[in-house]
């Protein structure tokens, strides 16, 4: 069966679901839609969660993970993809094997480890597997501070620590690094970017004091994935991701009773032009 040439950008998220709608695959698909790309998904895990915490989760059989990858590869022309919650070592390895098998373009690795409510989403053994097997495939890795510290064994407190940790992540195999600074206690949020050519820069925005930050990591990595699918260079895609996630936080919606979700249509609602996000 011959494939038609599709001009509309198609992207893929490889992650877990969030029944509360704020994070994981749900946040990714909302972001993809907002950024004008067609989103597909490989479900690695299903969670029962809301804005308060994760109550239960179940990992998909590896055979079903493989089948989802095959189905996507058969019918879609994926221009960029991202990973999220992967659960355990066996699932990480299944994802790695499929990413080696199929060409889905740039790979954005969001090394999801802990839910906003504190529940662990990646086993200790799986963290080692991510370091050894997934990071070398990463076009870009987007850890927050605790995730970057866990992956490298470094403590991040100041700008020098950010830079040192980013270099270690590159030495582990990731081509490009974005360390998100949202966990710092400051009136601004500064993220550090180290590119493969050793160009580096900071992205700093005023902090919005709100509890509506559920899904920020998923959202920024999904936006970067979408922009790469549109043909943007990586530095531009990262800047767009930072601007977009900032807009989703600055214009909150009140949903749930815990760590509320982002406002994924904030850019359109506030009249922010697509090309300027």
């Amino acid at each position: 069966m011959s494939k038609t040439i599709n001009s509309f950008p198609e992207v893929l998220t490889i992650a877990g679901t969030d029944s509360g709608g704020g994070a994981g695959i749900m946040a990714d698909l909302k972001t993809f839609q907002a950024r004008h790309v067609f989103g597909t998904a490989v479900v690695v895990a299903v969670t029962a969660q809301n804005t308060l915490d994760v109550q239960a989760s179940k990992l998909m059989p590896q055979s079903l993970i493989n089948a989802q990858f095959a189905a996507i590869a058969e019918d879609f022309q994926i221009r960029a993809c991202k990973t999220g919650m992967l659960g355990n070592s066996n699932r990480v390895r299944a994802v790695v094997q499929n990413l080696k098998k199929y060409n889905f373009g740039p790979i954005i690795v969001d090394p999801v480890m802990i839910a906003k409510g504190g529940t662990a989403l990646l086993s200790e053994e799986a963290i080692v597997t991510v370091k050894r097997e997934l990071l070398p495939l990463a076009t870009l890795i987007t850890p927050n501070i605790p995730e970057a510290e866990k992956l490298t064994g470094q403590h991040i407190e100041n700008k020098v620590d950010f830079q040192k940790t980013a270099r270690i992540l590159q030495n582990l195999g990731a081509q490009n690094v974005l360390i998100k600074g949202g966990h710092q206690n400051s009136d601004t949020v500064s993220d550090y970017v180290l590119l493969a050519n050793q160009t580096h820069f900071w992205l700093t925005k005023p902090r919005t004091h709100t509890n509506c930050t559920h899904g920020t990591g998923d959202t920024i990595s999904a936006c970067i994935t979408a922009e790469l699918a549109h043909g943007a260079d990586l530095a531009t895609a990262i800047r767009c991701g930072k601007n977009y996630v900032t807009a989703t936080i600055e214009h909150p919606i009140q949903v749930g009773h815990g760590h509320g979700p982002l406002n994924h249509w904030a850019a359109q609602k506030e009249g922010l032009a697509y090309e300027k996000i």
Side-chain angles (χ1 to χ4, degrees), residues 227-263:
E227 297 311 310
L228 292 175
H230 278 298
D233 63 83
L234 184 57
T236 299
I238 292 172
R239 293 181 189 277
C240 179
K242 176 69 170 181
N243 289 340
Y244 176 70
V245 77
T246 300
T248 66
I249 296 171
E250 286 179 339
H251 307 288
I253 53 175
Q254 297 303 316
V255 176
H257 299 86
H259 292 284
L262 305 179
N263 180 3

Side-chain angles (χ1 to χ4, degrees), residues 157-169:
E157 190 170 314
N158 53 47
K159 287 190 172 183
V160 173
D161 296 333
F162 271 89
Q163 295 168 331
K164 180 179 179 180
T165 303
R167 288 193 295 271
I168 294 173
L169 287 168

Side-chain angles (χ1 to χ4, degrees), residues 114-129:
I114 301 174
K116 189 70 72 176
T119 299
L121 300 177
L122 191 67
S123 70
E124 289 292 328
E125 180 185 6
I127 293 172
V128 176
T129 308

Side-chain angles (χ1 to χ4, degrees), residues 140-158:
L140 172 71
I141 185 171
T142 63
N144 58 33
I145 289 176
E147 291 163 347
E149 290 177 335
K150 190 73 174 179
L151 287 167
T152 63
Q154 299 296 308
H155 178 65
I156 299 176
E157 190 170 314
N158 53 47

Side-chain angles (χ1 to χ4, degrees), residues 9-12 28 31-38 79-82 106 108 140 219-245 267-268 273-277:
E10 300 164 356
V11 296
L12 170 65
D28 292 339
T31 303
F32 292 158
Q33 189 77 8
R35 302 312 298 161
H36 298 228
V37 297
F38 182 81
R79 297 189 189 180
C81 66
K82 61 150 294 187
I108 311 304
L140 172 71
T219 296
I220 191 171
S221 58
C223 184
I224 293 167
T225 303
E227 297 311 310
L228 292 175
H230 278 298
D233 63 83
L234 184 57
T236 299
I238 292 172
R239 293 181 189 277
C240 179
K242 176 69 170 181
N243 289 340
Y244 176 70
V245 77
Q268 290 90 332
Y274 172 78
E275 63 271 13
K276 292 182 180 179
I277 291 295

Side-chain angles (χ1 to χ4, degrees), residues 13-27:
T13 173
I14 306 154
T17 66
D18 173 3
S19 53
I25 286 174
M26 282 64 171

Side-chain angles (χ1 to χ4, degrees), residues 35 46 87 96 104 115 126 133 144-145 172 202 213 219 256:
R35 302 312 298 161
V46 174
V96 167
F104 288 152
E133 301 185 33
N144 58 33
I145 289 176
L172 289 171
W202 292 89
T213 57
T219 296

Side-chain angles (χ1 to χ4, degrees), residues 153-191:
Q154 299 296 308
H155 178 65
I156 299 176
E157 190 170 314
N158 53 47
K159 287 190 172 183
V160 173
D161 296 333
F162 271 89
Q163 295 168 331
K164 180 179 179 180
T165 303
R167 288 193 295 271
I168 294 173
L169 287 168
Q170 275 194 340
N171 290 335
L172 289 171
Q175 297 175 45
N176 303 276
V177 179
L178 163 63
I179 301 179
K180 300 167 296 189
H183 283 75
Q184 287 192 313
N185 184 20
S186 63
D187 290 329
T188 59
V189 178
S190 294
D191 304 338

